[in-house]
Amino acid sequence: RKVSYFFGVIPPVCPMWYVLTLVGAILGSAIPPEFALDFALPITFIAMIAPMLRSLPHLSAATVAVVMALVCAPLPLNLGLLVAALLGMMTGAQVELFVERRKLKLKQEAA
């Protein structure tokens, strides 16, 4: 079954892989050298994370984490990233509690 699965998956994936690799190579040469990875890396992470930001707790956690990462960047030993992650998670948890309490309060008022 595994072999037939892989042979079934390869035909639609491989041609797109080759085409998009060629497109990336052509368009990648158009990016100025001063951007290099400083440009590509954040765009990659934004493209991976943005679709997951669907609720208010997720948005608030991401916003606080990004802002605090920028504010805490001068901390030694790259501790700013850890502080930002911790504050983002705490914010997301608190906003989620707030949203749940508000929903419960609205249900009680409606009843």
Side-chain angles (χ1 to χ4, degrees):
R1 288 185 162 211
K2 287 182 183 180
V3 173
S4 60
Y5 170 78
F6 287 119
F7 275 114
V9 171
I10 288 173
V13 172
C14 274
M16 286 302 269
W17 182 280
Y18 294 135
V19 168
L20 292 176
T21 299
L22 178 64
V23 168
I26 292 169
L27 293 179
S29 62
I31 296 174
E34 59 267 8
F35 287 136
L37 288 179
D38 295 339
F39 174 74
L41 201 58
I43 296 296
T44 302
F45 283 116
I46 289 171
M48 289 177 1
I49 302 268
M52 292 188 268
L53 301 176
R54 293 188 176 147
S55 67
L56 184 61
H58 293 142
L59 285 170
S60 60
T63 303
V64 168
V66 167
V67 169
M68 292 311 297
L70 294 173
V71 169
C72 298
L75 289 177
L77 302 173
N78 290 329
L79 288 175
L81 191 56
L82 294 175
V83 169
L86 183 63
L87 291 173
M89 287 186 279
M90 289 169 46
T91 301
Q94 289 301 313
V95 171
E96 190 169 356
L97 285 174
F98 173 76
V99 168
E100 291 299 321
R101 287 180 186 151
R102 185 174 170 114
K103 284 180 186 177
L104 184 61
K105 184 179 177 182
L106 291 174
K107 279 184 182 179
Q108 289 174 349
E109 289 176 0

